[in-house]
Amino acid sequence: AELRKASKRLSCHKRYKIQKKIREHHRKVRKEAKKRKQKKPKKDPGIPSAAPFKEELLREAEQRKQRLEELKQKQKLNRQKEHEKKRKLEAKKNAASIKEKAEEKESSGKSKGKTKKPLNKNSKQSFCRELMKVLEASDVVLEVLDARDPMGCRCPQLEQAVTCSGGNKKLLLVLNKIDLVPKDNIEKWLKYLKKEFPTVAFKSATMMKDKTMEQVTKRRARVDFSETSQYFGSKCLLKLLQEYGKTQDKAIQVGVVGFPNVGKSSIINSLKGKRACNVGLARGVTKSMQIVHLDKQTKMLDSPSIIADPSNSALALALRSIINPEGPDSADVLEGVYAIINHCSKQQVMMHYNIPDFRDPEEFLSLLAQKRGMLKKGGVPDIENMAKLVLCDWTGARIKYYSQPPGFQKLPPYLTEQKVAEMQEGFNLNNLEQENSNTVQALKHPSPASSIAFQSAGMTNGTIEENKVIEEGSEWGHMETSKEEEDELTESDDNEDDMEEDDDVQLTGKAKPGKQQTNPTHSTGQKAGNERSRSLSFSLDKPVDEDDAYDFNTDYV
């Protein structure tokens, strides 16, 4: 027989006793509260419905509340800026002391003999060392430019190092991501850039099929590769390199260089026709030189990104993916986003994000955060996280913006008419121009109305020499590591069957430097690049009146 549960019924005597104890306890609590004179806070009765000027009173109350919130936000930003200034000053002092100690060690170690320490893969010095390996080993250097801001993606120090190397090195410009820019703007840039270096219009594939991806798609839902795996301009670039290789009567090595997120590895994958190099939105995916064989006569060398000089403007540092959105330094992210918004057409920004008129970039972020529901406790817009999202959109391929080429073309100090002729020698420029026009015609371009007009800050100064890099521990420590370890040089096999079984890129022991070596020097004439570019002062509308500031769609109970 099953056991019955115990009954919860009580005797009347016990129940009355409990109730009496509860009454006594409540009486005691009331007496103590009366002694301490603690009264319940009275609720705000609000404004009666029949009261005159009710809407005006509510409007004034709402405006007072907004002013208090804005004041709090400004005070918080000021505190953050002061904290960041102190941190930067301390970092500079530490860097100076580290540099002095390093110089002392070098001077003392000259007599004893030096032994090179292995560098961290994520360090800036390691990136510069690998970049110099690529420049020394290359017969042709491809400088990859983002078609949305070609002038901002050019590095004068890199171009000077290649043109003044004294060898027979050639420099080609590859205008990538042309599908994000209006057609007439692309034609203007091709016309402008070809007067300095041979320029190739290109649209690389952002996602390439490989063995692992095909296995995943068999088990799960299908992935649409129609747009992401399409690439244009690869035949033109391959033909150009092969024709130049025939004139040299030897196998040529082609180095691919550029700033982060311009599509260096994607271009190599597009030329190869399959995924040979790891790609990703995060900076620092490629950490060392990788060798990929296109054919018996052409060898591609992938390189790490160029390190931008900290003396560049906030706009250049933001768009060249130097400011890390995932890092703890929110003041730098806000400064970069403010610079981007100040350099754009205000009306087109409002149309793209579908937000009302704003007075300054801070109000732009506040309106966008309210629209997307990014709010803190109490309904305050989360400006910091919103700025990180906006910066990620602009450094990736989500935003379609374009910049106009300079009205007056002046050659840089390191370029002369003779150097331009040397760079163009060995290439069929007429055929290149025809192929570029065919590539531009074949693509579907956005209209100028759906894109954002943007004013470029000019060329971005970079650091390519290892001894001129000052390491900052917190800046490059959060980079994502690639799936494959790239400790040494990587090289892909020529045999297609072996490549399907093994990885596309294999590690090799040593680099294969060319016969010539470069001795690049920094450009002394680029004063404008070293100075911080002044942000574009476009006239924002006057602040809205108090009547316009009130939102009549808000319901008050």
Side-chain angles (χ1 to χ4, degrees), residues 12 17 60 135 244 261 299 307 313 384 386 436 448 541:
C12 293
K17 193 175 180 181
E60 289 174 3
L135 292 178
Y244 178 73
N261 284 353
K299 195 185 293 182
I307 306 298
S313 64
E384 289 83 2
M386 194 69 249
N436 281 339
D541 294 343

Side-chain angles (χ1 to χ4, degrees), residues 476-513:
W476 288 73
H478 301 281
M479 291 187 302
E480 293 185 7
T481 56
S482 58
K483 293 178 183 178
E484 300 178 3
E485 288 296 329
E486 299 171 347
D487 295 325
E488 302 173 0
L489 302 180
T490 55
E491 187 172 16
S492 64
D493 295 334
D494 293 327
N495 193 344
E496 296 294 333
D497 297 329
D498 295 341
M499 285 177 63
E500 290 178 0
E501 296 172 1
D502 301 332
D503 293 334
D504 287 329
V505 182
Q506 298 178 348
L507 300 177
T508 59
K510 295 183 180 179
K512 298 181 181 180

Side-chain angles (χ1 to χ4, degrees), residues 389-415:
L389 285 180
V390 171
L391 186 59
C392 288
D393 288 350
W394 279 79
T395 52
R398 290 187 179 181
I399 305 296
K400 296 176 181 177
Y401 63 92
Y402 64 95
S403 58
Q404 295 293 343
F408 176 72
Q409 186 162 15
K410 183 182 178 182
L411 292 178
Y414 51 85
L415 266 186

Side-chain angles (χ1 to χ4, degrees), residues 358-372:
F358 54 91
R359 289 168 292 190
D360 50 26
E362 185 178 352
E363 189 179 0
F364 159 77
L365 290 175
S366 177
L367 291 170
L368 192 59
Q370 286 176 349
K371 184 190 172 190
R372 296 191 179 179

Side-chain angles (χ1 to χ4, degrees), residues 6 37 59 75 103 123 195 233 240 247 257 274-275 301 304 308-310 327 353 377 392 430 438 454 464 505:
K37 295 183 180 180
R59 189 183 310 157
Q75 290 174 349
E103 288 175 356
S123 67
K195 294 178 182 177
L240 198 69
T247 60
V257 298
K274 59 170 62 181
R275 187 172 178 178
L301 307 179
D309 197 282
Y353 287 102
K377 189 175 180 181
C392 288
N430 293 329
N438 293 341
F454 170 82
I464 61 173
V505 182

Side-chain angles (χ1 to χ4, degrees), residues 198-377:
T199 308
V200 181
F202 206 93
K203 190 265 176 185
S204 60
T206 55
M207 188 182 292
M208 299 296 295
K209 289 184 181 179
D210 64 355
K211 183 174 63 177
T212 57
M213 293 174 72
E214 285 174 1
Q215 289 175 354
V216 171
T217 53
K218 285 176 186 176
R219 290 193 295 268
R220 300 178 188 174
R222 291 185 179 181
V223 179
D224 185 18
F225 291 100
S226 58
E227 293 184 5
T228 55
S229 61
Q230 285 184 350
Y231 48 90
F232 297 86
S234 59
K235 290 182 180 178
C236 171
L237 184 55
L238 265 176
K239 188 177 178 182
L240 198 69
L241 295 174
Q242 288 170 352
E243 287 178 355
Y244 178 73
K246 288 178 183 177
T247 60
Q248 299 298 307
D249 294 329
K250 65 171 186 177
I252 60 169
Q253 298 190 102
V254 183
V256 184
V257 298
F259 283 103
N261 284 353
V262 293
K264 300 182 291 297
S265 300
S266 298
I267 285 176
I268 295 177
N269 289 342
S270 301
L271 292 173
K272 184 69 179 173
K274 59 170 62 181
R275 187 172 178 178
C277 301
N278 285 323
V279 294
L281 292 175
R283 59 182 180 175
V285 173
T286 305
K287 295 177 177 59
S288 60
M289 177 164 66
Q290 302 182 49
I291 302 176
V292 178
H293 289 273
L294 293 184
D295 52 40
K296 292 182 180 179
Q297 296 298 317
T298 311
K299 195 185 293 182
M300 304 297 293
L301 307 179
D302 194 8
S303 69
S305 304
I306 301 171
I307 306 298
D309 197 282
S311 63
N312 287 297
S313 64
L315 175 68
L317 294 177
L319 288 179
R320 301 289 78 81
S321 300
I322 303 305
I323 298 173
N324 185 12
E326 302 301 326
D329 196 355
S330 60
D332 285 346
V333 177
L334 285 171
E335 188 181 0
V337 173
Y338 291 171
I340 290 172
I341 299 302
N342 283 333
H343 280 71
C344 293
S345 170
K346 183 182 175 185
Q347 298 298 328
Q348 289 176 334
V349 169
M350 289 163 54
M351 289 174 62
H352 178 82
Y353 287 102
N354 195 17
I355 58 172
D357 192 11
F358 54 91
R359 289 168 292 190
D360 50 26
E362 185 178 352
E363 189 179 0
F364 159 77
L365 290 175
S366 177
L367 291 170
L368 192 59
Q370 286 176 349
K371 184 190 172 190
R372 296 191 179 179
M374 293 189 68
L375 304 174
K376 295 180 182 177
K377 189 175 180 181

